[in-house]
Amino acid sequence: MSKRKIVHLPDDEGYRWWRIFDDTYVIHYGEALDIFLLLGGEKTLLIDTAYGRGDLPNIVDELRGGRELLVVNTHGHFDHTGGNRWFPRVHMHKNAFAYADHSFGPLDPAWLANMPYPDYEKIAVDDGDVFDLGGRRVDVIYTPAHCDSSLSFIDHGRRLLFSGDEFDAGQANLNVFSSVGAFLENCRRLKAREDEFDFIMPNHNGTPIAKSYLDDFITASQHVVDGRPDFVPLEGGHRRPFHGDRAVRVRVGDSCINYLPEE
Ligand SMILES: [Zn+2]
């Protein structure tokens, strides 16, 4: 396959990538953003497209080894969807259709014009759907709290849970207080399936992480729902929460939940 022409920008950050199994890559962009490539017997699944900067399409083409490529977004935020226009078709939850192409700021016109699929096809996937990569099955679970289009994935080939931005080693970035209840329910659903995975693969702040994070996030969100949050100062997290100084942070064990108090 011929290499894609790339428009490089002054503020592009670098990629690094590595195998965590013979058939599983982490592709790391910049300081704290990871996306994933799962190789099956027949097909490859790319989980998220980062910002789409730099050599992403050529890296993916090299690593997939000629297999058919499927692309899916964990949710519709632009640090996960920015590279969608490199690909003819991208799977995502239907709620992401409306905003998956909304960047966080202005995009360089030459960079944007260089991407081959400005009107790429958006294909809806939802809870219970399955990607069959050929001897490697990946289940789709709808887990909206950080975002109303969030999907998690259980890869039965390597017993991995991909959690998107719903939670990571740094934090769970939630919005309004009521989203904490949804987050708790989602975590309980994942906990009920913990026999199906050995490690959790978030997109930010380090990956893989231990399954025990799920227990801590359940405890922390239960504290919030019960009205007894353990407030901690803002400093000390890996990333700033969505809402800056307005956020409440609740920390239990390894977990940290950020959310907006009710006005
Ligand atoms: Zn996000």
Side-chain angles (χ1 to χ4, degrees), residues 75-80 104 146-147 150 165-166 204 239 242:
H75 61 299
H77 292 160
F78 200 70
D79 50 336
H80 302 257
F104 297 145
H146 164 83
C147 179
S150 286
D165 278 6
E166 284 299 314
H204 298 285
R239 302 161 71 207
F242 274 178

Side-chain angles (χ1 to χ4, degrees), residues 64-235:
R64 72 187 171 93
R67 295 172 184 81
E68 180 186 341
L69 181 66
L70 304 176
V71 183
V72 69
N73 296 141
T74 56
H75 61 299
H77 292 160
F78 200 70
D79 50 336
H80 302 257
T81 63
N84 285 2
R85 293 177 177 93
W86 285 116
F87 306 103
R89 287 170 294 281
V90 179
H91 298 78
M92 64 186 76
H93 190 271
K94 64 180 186 302
N95 288 352
F97 286 12
Y99 53 80
D101 300 326
H102 293 182
S103 66
F104 297 145
L107 296 176
D108 182 279
W111 177 81
L112 195 57
N114 182 51
M115 301 176 85
Y117 301 104
D119 300 314
Y120 68 91
E121 182 185 0
K122 296 180 174 73
I123 302 171
V125 284
D126 208 338
D127 202 87
D129 286 344
V130 172
F131 291 102
D132 181 357
L133 308 182
R136 187 172 192 176
R137 171 183 153 167
V138 179
D139 290 353
V140 179
I141 308 168
Y142 181 47
T143 51
H146 164 83
C147 179
D148 72 358
S149 60
S150 286
L151 301 174
S152 299
F153 307 100
I154 294 179
D155 163 28
H156 292 275
R158 291 297 181 183
R159 296 179 51 81
L160 302 172
L161 168 67
F162 294 86
S163 62
D165 278 6
E166 284 299 314
F167 64 90
D168 61 45
Q171 58 207 14
N173 263 324
L174 305 178
N175 288 302
V176 293
F177 172 79
S178 60
S179 67
V180 182
F183 176 78
L184 173 59
E185 285 309 308
N186 295 336
C187 286
R188 283 183 174 145
R189 288 184 65 212
L190 296 175
K191 172 76 178 171
R193 298 185 63 171
E194 70 172 349
D195 288 350
E196 299 173 47
F197 54 89
D198 297 321
F199 287 97
I200 300 171
M201 311 287 288
N203 286 83
H204 298 285
N205 295 320
T207 196
I209 62 174
K211 287 205 291 190
S212 59
Y213 277 86
L214 198 49
D215 297 313
D216 288 342
F217 275 108
I218 287 171
T219 305
S221 49
Q222 185 75 62
H223 278 220
V224 176
V225 169
D226 291 348
R228 49 187 176 95
D230 311 305
F231 290 73
V232 296
L234 272 174
E235 49 277 352

Side-chain angles (χ1 to χ4, degrees), residues 27-43:
I27 302 173
H28 180 87
Y29 179 74
E31 183 192 342
L33 173 57
D34 292 307
I35 62 175
F36 309 100
L37 193 69
L38 280 51
L39 311 183
E42 295 153 19
K43 299 177 185 176

